[in-house]
Amino acid sequence: MDLRKYNVYFHTHTISGIIICALLYVIFFAGSFSFFRDEISAWQNNTSYVAGKNEVKQDFNYILDSLSQKHNLRGRDFDFYVQRHQMGTYVNMSISHDTTISKVPVKKEGGRRGRGRGNNEDSAYFQYDFQSKTTSDYSSSYDMGEFLYRLHFLAQLNQVPIRIGTPFGYLVAGIVSFLFLFALITGLFLHWDKIKSNFFVFRPFSKWKTVWTDIHTALGVIGFPFQFVFAVTGIVLIVNFALITPYSKVLYEGDSEKLYQDLEYSSGESYPYSYKELKTYFNLNQLLADIEADWAPTKLARMHIKNYQDENMHVLVETKPDPKHNFAGSGKLVYRVKDQQILLEKAPNTESSYIDHVKALIYHLHFGDFGGKPVRVIFFVLGIMGCVVIISGILIWLVAREKPNIPAYKKKFNFWLANIFMAACLAMLPVTAFTFILVKIFPDATQSDMYNWYFYSWLILGLYFIVRRSIALTNRQSLILSAILCLGVPIANGIFGHNWIWQTFQSEAFDILLIDLLFLILSIVSVIIYFKIRKHAYNQGVKK
């Protein structure tokens, strides 16, 4: 490679990397834990979704009967969004299309808008647990699994009142994904000539810059396919509006609704309210049982009921196949209740379109839900490797700018920038473990509580590391805190949740057990790394 190309790749890789490194670390760190989103929810709620899965029935008739005790359901629309673990569902109930029984919307002054409800007290949005048969609103059912999942695409930043066609957090996450893809490609070009010769090179007893460079290069090259897949799928998922808009303008003449229909994100059918009472008996549970029997193995994903108890009542059911049997596919059934006719039927395991294959490829590769726990564990390890690559990149960037010819004011700026980035990044693991302990001590914690515990403790610990002005100290103390607090997670689960590791193993609550073992391993790894660092520093003659 000639010198000019090398310099272009080097500087573009360095600049794009240092701009996004802190936010990219947050995305990778939170995203790695998001692979265990369902397990984290089970751990926090003290309810195994694995152990009781075969004993719990999805009773949608019970939900409708319970709602009928408080509301007149005639003419309403219902949306059911079943959670991935199939043990709960989000329920959205609209106001009635029948103007003779619907209530006048009541406008609320101030306050945050409830999800799915708007400002109308006659509608409802809640989560329903099939196992405990209890309901809860979004805030009270919020858990660390949901928190980390949303943090990995910076959804919490959506509260920033900046709107440029999309919520601010999603916009930032999309920009970071674009720059990350750019940094990946330029980094690969930068190391292309030495990929084969330096692939197995690792010099752990050399000076720190050499160690960090070897870590950055080796782990970066090994994890490149994984990181490339996540950059591309992340861009498609988070900023698809930017990719779709040109096509809607050129090919669809601005009709974005028609484009979304062709992409099977929305349906063009309308179901007007007839003001005629439905006289046909309808059993929702039986309909779903028949669909499951015909399409097995499949999982219910979404269900929509239009014009409940009206003569023009329709039920729309969407399912997803088991990836072990069919990697790509989606099931859809449209059922007209009055004459018990199936208007549309698309089997998930036998009828897969090109769009199904593209969607499945993007979603499965990004969420790692196609190979069970082993695949998600591998994805988690690769995600943490990405965090290590980011940290080593920051340290390489700092050391490379400590040359004698660099002015003092630039050295000072470079140090403070790296110091802030390292403080923010390395504080995440102990803060995450700390919040996990708190949600177990206080089981009634709400969304607001988790926000306060996580972000304020992150701010305090980050500021503490910053004012100490020592990256080496930040590294050592964050490892000590991580070791102690990560060990405290399974202990807190045993004391306050009465789920010790041996008990969850005996009861086959493997989802809860996985989270305890994960933090136990992270604690052990933190201890090992801490003593390795001390030993390396001692060998280098650094006084402790």
Side-chain angles (χ1 to χ4, degrees):
M1 183 185 300
D2 63 73
L3 183 61
R4 181 180 178 278
K5 288 183 178 179
Y6 181 88
N7 287 333
V8 170
Y9 295 148
F10 177 81
H11 290 298
T12 51
H13 177 75
T14 302
I15 296 301
S16 59
I18 202 66
I19 289 174
I20 64 172
C21 60
L23 288 175
L24 186 62
Y25 185 94
V26 173
I27 291 173
F28 262 86
F29 182 89
S32 298
F33 280 90
S34 296
F35 291 125
F36 307 120
R37 179 184 177 187
D38 294 340
E39 287 79 4
I40 293 172
S41 299
W43 183 91
Q44 181 173 337
N45 295 324
N46 216 31
T47 302
S48 175
Y49 299 138
V50 174
K53 193 169 186 178
N54 296 327
E55 303 173 1
V56 178
K57 177 184 177 183
Q58 293 181 341
D59 193 346
F60 289 92
N61 287 344
Y62 182 83
I63 299 176
L64 295 174
D65 291 341
S66 299
L67 287 170
S68 67
Q69 304 299 318
K70 298 180 180 179
H71 305 274
N72 186 340
L73 302 187
R74 183 174 176 181
R76 295 179 185 269
D77 292 341
F78 293 89
D79 302 307
F80 297 92
Y81 302 96
V82 182
Q83 295 172 288
R84 289 197 309 175
H85 48 68
Q86 299 288 300
M87 300 286 281
T89 181
Y90 291 104
V91 183
N92 185 32
M93 180 184 73
S94 73
I95 61 172
S96 176
H97 294 292
D98 193 328
T99 56
T100 64
I101 62 175
S102 59
K103 297 180 180 179
V104 178
V106 178
K107 294 290 184 180
K108 291 183 179 180
E109 296 296 332
R112 290 184 61 184
R113 196 177 97 177
R115 291 188 59 158
R117 295 189 58 172
N119 290 322
N120 197 326
E121 291 297 328
D122 194 34
S123 60
Y125 181 85
F126 58 90
Q127 183 192 38
Y128 180 80
D129 190 298
F130 291 114
Q131 189 168 18
S132 62
K133 293 187 176 182
T134 57
T135 63
S136 56
D137 59 26
Y138 181 77
S139 177
S140 59
S141 64
Y142 199 83
D143 54 46
M144 286 301 295
E146 179 76 2
F147 175 86
L148 290 170
Y149 169 70
R150 296 183 67 78
L151 181 62
H152 105 275
F153 51 86
L154 308 180
Q156 286 81 354
L157 290 180
N158 290 343
Q159 302 302 319
V160 177
I162 298 177
R163 294 291 182 270
I164 313 178
T166 187
F168 181 71
Y170 300 161
L171 177 65
V172 173
I175 294 174
V176 170
S177 297
F178 270 112
L179 292 177
F180 175 50
L181 182 62
F182 187 70
L184 274 177
I185 296 174
T186 54
L188 183 66
F189 288 161
L190 186 63
H191 299 290
W192 185 259
D193 290 341
K194 295 183 178 181
I195 281 181
K196 184 177 180 180
S197 61
N198 291 353
F199 189 80
F200 296 103
V201 173
F202 185 62
R203 296 156 286 184
F205 301 107
S206 300
K207 57 184 179 179
W208 280 117
K209 182 184 177 182
T210 303
V211 174
W212 297 328
T213 302
D214 289 345
I215 291 175
H216 189 76
T217 304
L219 294 184
V221 172
I222 292 171
F224 176 84
F226 168 83
Q227 294 164 8
F228 182 82
V229 165
F230 264 74
V232 173
T233 56
I235 290 171
V236 174
L237 290 173
I238 200 67
V239 289
N240 51 62
F241 74 95
L243 304 175
I244 289 177
T245 299
Y247 292 97
S248 66
K249 297 294 185 184
V250 177
L251 300 180
Y252 287 81
E253 298 180 350
D255 189 355
S256 58
E257 183 62 29
K258 182 66 170 67
L259 173 60
Y260 281 106
Q261 290 175 15
D262 289 347
L263 292 175
E264 299 180 4
Y265 283 111
S266 63
S267 174
E269 296 89 356
S270 60
Y271 306 95
Y273 187 67
S274 68
Y275 285 90
K276 297 178 182 179
E277 183 179 355
L278 177 68
K279 298 183 179 178
T280 305
Y281 172 76
F282 174 65
N283 187 326
L284 181 57
N285 287 346
Q286 186 59 51
L287 173 64
L288 296 177
D290 293 341
I291 293 174
E292 184 177 2
D294 293 339
W295 290 353
T298 187
K299 293 182 179 180
L300 179 63
R302 290 177 292 275
M303 179 171 58
H304 310 280
I305 300 177
K306 304 295 184 181
N307 306 316
Y308 187 71
Q309 295 179 337
D310 182 71
E311 190 178 69
N312 198 31
M313 177 179 173
H314 287 72
V315 180
L316 291 73
V317 180
E318 298 178 39
T319 68
K320 294 294 182 183
D322 188 338
K324 296 178 182 178
H325 295 81
N326 186 17
F327 186 80
S330 61
K332 185 175 182 180
L333 182 140
V334 179
Y335 180 79
R336 188 167 59 202
V337 178
K338 70 175 181 179
D339 53 4
Q340 302 178 351
Q341 291 295 312
I342 296 176
L343 305 182
L344 172 67
E345 182 176 10
K346 177 189 174 187
N349 293 311
T350 58
E351 304 176 32
S352 299
S353 64
Y354 173 77
I355 293 176
D356 288 329
H357 283 276
V358 173
K359 285 183 179 179
L361 188 66
I362 293 172
Y363 280 93
H364 288 319
L365 289 180
H366 193 83
F367 294 106
D369 58 354
F370 57 89
K373 287 185 177 62
V375 170
R376 286 188 285 140
V377 169
I378 293 172
F379 274 35
F380 175 83
V381 173
L382 291 171
I384 296 300
M385 283 173 52
C387 295
V388 176
V389 171
I390 295 169
I391 291 295
S392 59
I394 296 173
L395 295 173
I396 294 170
W397 178 86
L398 175 62
V399 174
R401 282 153 183 77
E402 291 182 345
K403 299 176 182 178
N405 61 328
I406 302 295
Y409 74 93
K410 286 188 177 181
K411 287 185 178 180
K412 186 175 182 180
F413 171 80
N414 295 337
F415 170 78
W416 275 105
L417 185 63
N419 187 36
I420 292 171
F421 285 168
M422 292 293 291
C425 294
L426 294 181
M428 281 198 75
L429 180 55
V431 165
T432 301
F434 173 70
T435 311
F436 267 73
I437 294 173
L438 287 181
V439 297
K440 187 55 69 170
I441 297 175
F442 304 100
D444 296 327
T446 63
Q447 178 183 5
S448 178
D449 294 328
M450 286 175 235
Y451 272 46
N452 292 333
W453 294 338
Y454 196 95
F455 289 120
Y456 281 123
S457 60
W458 192 6
L459 176 64
I460 293 170
L461 185 59
L463 288 176
Y464 166 75
F465 286 149
I466 290 172
V467 298
R468 292 303 301 268
R469 295 184 297 177
S470 172
I471 293 177
L473 182 140
T474 297
N475 197 11
R476 293 196 302 270
Q477 292 192 354
S478 64
L479 286 170
I480 294 173
L481 286 174
S482 297
I484 296 172
L485 292 172
C486 287
L487 179 61
V489 171
I491 294 176
N493 191 30
I495 296 174
F496 298 99
H498 307 292
N499 278 322
W500 294 100
I501 288 178
W502 55 88
Q503 291 175 327
T504 53
F505 179 77
Q506 291 174 351
S507 62
E508 298 183 352
F510 297 123
D511 44 1
I512 298 177
L513 175 63
L514 177 64
I515 300 304
D516 284 338
L517 290 178
L518 174 64
F519 277 95
L520 181 61
I521 292 171
L522 288 174
S523 176
I524 295 172
V525 170
S526 298
V527 172
I528 293 173
I529 295 175
Y530 173 76
F531 283 107
K532 289 288 186 181
I533 289 176
R534 283 184 61 87
K535 183 178 179 180
H536 187 279
Y538 177 79
N539 292 335
Q540 292 292 320
V542 179
K543 183 179 179 181
K544 295 290 178 284

